[in-house]
Amino acid sequence: MPFVGVFAPFIYLEYINPNLANVGSTIIINNQNLFGNEVYNINNLNSINLNDPFGFALYTDRTGSQQKKNSNLFINSNLIGITGGSDQVNSLWSFAGVKGHFYYQNNQLFGLDDDIPNNTMDSTDGLADIKNYINGNSFNFRLTHVDYPTNQPQHTNVNLAYFLSYTTPCDTFSVVIPNKFLACKGESIQLNITGGKEWEWEPAIGLSCTNCPNPYFTDTVSRWYTVRVWNNDSCSKVLPVRVEVVSKPQNPIVQTSPTKCSDSSGVANVQII
């Protein structure tokens, strides 16, 4: 029978120290079917200072073998290593996958557990400094299964997420977004965010516009959106937006009890449905 559940949660912590350089952070959640030869195109990153490390970390699960290295990782067609097996912090679990544990501080990349902040990956080391493999603020990476490089069979690896960290000259700026919006089913509400100069919403479904700060939402189901917000200096941040659709409340039922005309008070029962 298939496995159902959350098997690999992750914790991501970020703090701001105004005395240190700004760090650009990107979490890439896998959105592709897994055949063993996936290509990911990363575009529109904030400006990157390539004099400092550019951290790239894997977060995989159920790699198909407890010890075997089975995944080639290419950055812009450059092979930087072959990973696989059960990560050190998951050694009690078979096939638990490779996790790149790290922190980035003061223009330096630090590896944790068995992860090494050099320019290669190997076995359960799921962290690499890839600054020498990229050019500009876009790049692509590819994971190719060692035994099944031609996309067969399906589900040869479970690649969950990827983490990017690098220093950037971009200034910080604030964007105000409510924790969530509530919308009655079948009715329109306006999503109000404050901050930024340009905006891009995804997905487009249910929205009146995708390049405005305050689109109208009309749909019958709850949805997660992401909005990319650009600042004056062409730097941007991507934020989640939650819209929950609820049933429209019905009008209350009001019942009154008759009284004598000489009485100064009466009784009214209100039932909220």
Side-chain angles (χ1 to χ4, degrees), residues 7 59-60 81 132 170 237 239:
F7 298 103
Y59 201 86
T60 69
N132 295 327
C170 289
K237 60 174 65 177
L239 300 170

Side-chain angles (χ1 to χ4, degrees), residues 80-273:
I80 68 168
I82 307 176
T83 65
S86 292
D87 200 80
Q88 177 175 300
V89 297
N90 305 306
S91 58
L92 297 179
W93 307 94
S94 299
F95 323 118
V98 178
K99 278 79 172 173
H101 301 100
F102 71 98
Y103 70 96
Y104 199 113
Q105 177 179 276
N106 198 23
N107 306 340
Q108 297 182 70
L109 177 66
F110 299 88
L112 302 174
D113 302 312
D114 57 352
D115 299 298
I116 304 171
N118 57 11
N119 62 357
T120 62
M121 291 186 185
D122 181 67
S123 188
T124 58
D125 169 18
L127 176 67
D129 174 7
I130 64 171
K131 70 178 181 182
N132 295 327
Y133 306 116
I134 63 176
N135 184 21
N137 62 349
S138 300
F139 70 97
N140 69 70
F141 65 93
R142 176 165 55 95
L143 289 101
T144 303
H145 198 277
V146 172
D147 297 326
Y148 309 106
T150 57
N151 297 0
Q152 293 293 333
Q154 192 175 9
H155 306 309
T156 53
N157 282 54
V158 179
N159 305 313
L160 303 178
Y162 314 92
F163 297 83
L164 311 178
S165 291
Y166 52 93
T167 57
T168 175
C170 289
D171 291 331
T172 58
F173 66 99
S174 62
V175 177
V176 179
I177 301 178
N179 291 331
K180 65 180 177 181
F181 295 92
L182 292 178
C184 288
K185 185 178 296 186
E187 295 186 355
S188 295
I189 65 165
Q190 191 170 24
L191 310 182
N192 296 303
I193 68 172
T194 303
K197 295 298 180 181
E198 294 183 33
W199 308 267
E200 180 180 328
W201 294 78
E202 291 184 352
I205 184 170
L207 299 180
S208 62
C209 62
T210 58
N211 59 353
C212 59
N214 303 314
Y216 281 90
F217 168 88
T218 306
D219 207 343
T220 58
V221 296
S222 301
R223 294 191 183 278
W224 278 103
Y225 292 95
T226 59
V227 56
R228 180 183 289 271
V229 184
W230 277 271
N231 199 16
N232 290 329
D233 54 5
S234 298
C235 295
S236 66
K237 60 174 65 177
V238 179
L239 300 170
V241 179
R242 174 66 174 172
V243 182
E244 291 190 4
V245 175
V246 296
S247 298
K248 185 177 180 179
Q250 300 181 14
N251 293 327
I253 299 175
V254 180
Q255 296 178 336
T256 60
S257 299
T259 60
K260 295 179 181 180
C261 61
S262 59
D263 290 344
S264 60
S265 63
V267 177
N269 296 316
V270 180
Q271 180 181 359
I272 305 296
I273 299 178

